[in-house]
Amino acid sequence: METRQEAVTGTIGCATAVLGAFAGIAVWFPYGRTALFGAFEGETNPTDLWLGLPVLALGGAATAVAVLTAVQGRRRIAVGLAAATAALAAFGYAFDVLAAPQALQDCGSPC
């Protein structure tokens, strides 16, 4: 049977993961809004929704839970979650999930 302390710890862990995911979405939102609703001449980038949002939501949750497990003294789990966060960050940088729409990047001198 599960003790009350384990139940509270599990609830705190779930709440931490949800808050971390919301933090990741909050980081993604300014980029995602520009990419989805068009910036220059209405250009949109739906890839930002399919790649950027999941990467940042999962990364935020993994980072928050890694910090929580490190505080609780579970170093191996924290290191594994930190490695997962690093892998998500590498994936995000490889696919440029926080990129603005192409028109904003290549605008040139008239802008």
Side-chain angles (χ1 to χ4, degrees):
M1 293 205 82
E2 192 173 296
T3 66
R4 185 174 185 86
Q5 183 179 5
E6 290 172 340
V8 169
T9 303
T11 303
I12 290 171
C14 287
T16 301
V18 168
L19 289 175
F22 281 138
I25 291 169
V27 168
W28 171 83
F29 186 73
Y31 299 98
R33 185 187 59 172
T34 303
L36 293 178
F37 297 120
F40 181 72
E41 295 181 354
E43 180 185 353
T44 61
N45 185 7
T47 305
D48 192 51
L49 176 68
W50 304 120
L51 287 176
L53 182 60
V55 165
L56 286 167
L58 289 172
T63 302
V65 175
V67 170
L68 179 67
T69 56
V71 168
Q72 290 177 343
R74 300 177 183 172
R75 302 288 183 222
R76 287 187 181 195
I77 296 172
V79 169
L81 287 167
T85 302
L88 283 168
F91 179 82
Y93 283 118
F95 287 98
D96 208 12
V97 296
L98 290 180
Q102 193 67 26
L104 290 178
Q105 296 173 358
D106 298 336
C107 190
S109 63
C111 295

